[in-house]
Amino acid sequence: TVNNPITEPTKFKVSKLVKPLIMPNGKQAYEVKWVGYRKKSDNTIETRDSLMEDVPKMVKQYELDHIVKWLSSGKVVYTK
């Protein structure tokens, strides 16, 4: 569950992490699919830091299952 700071106390529940990516500002992030939202266009990009606060087990499991490696070159590699 991730807090929405604009309309508190609404909470959105993470359905799954779609894929890891690096944001233009260099931050580690994930494309997130939300419970109750089916269209790909409803997915959002969330920083890894915020996801580690809200769904740390999901992030750690994804990173184990997909062998995610955050490279110092500003890239991320993983298995699908």
Side-chain angles (χ1 to χ4, degrees):
T1 304
V2 176
N3 291 325
N4 179 345
I6 298 170
T7 59
E8 282 285 302
T10 302
K11 294 200 177 210
F12 298 97
K13 190 168 184 176
V14 175
S15 172
K16 74 176 199 170
L17 302 177
V18 178
K19 65 180 179 181
L21 52 93
I22 302 292
M23 297 174 70
N25 64 5
K27 289 197 175 258
Q28 299 170 348
Y30 282 91
E31 180 180 342
V32 176
K33 179 169 180 51
W34 300 97
V35 170
Y37 294 86
R38 294 188 175 161
K39 294 187 289 182
K40 182 171 174 40
S41 62
D42 291 329
N43 294 356
T44 61
I45 305 302
E46 305 296 330
T47 65
R48 183 180 183 276
D49 289 343
S50 68
L51 291 168
M52 285 299 288
E53 289 177 19
D54 297 315
V55 290
K57 289 180 183 177
M58 185 179 283
V59 173
K60 289 175 185 174
Q61 191 62 55
Y62 184 96
E63 291 179 351
L64 284 173
D65 293 346
H66 298 277
I67 314 169
V68 176
K69 295 182 182 168
W70 303 98
L71 305 177
S72 59
S73 64
K75 295 183 180 182
V76 60
V77 293
Y78 65 100
T79 60
K80 293 186 179 184

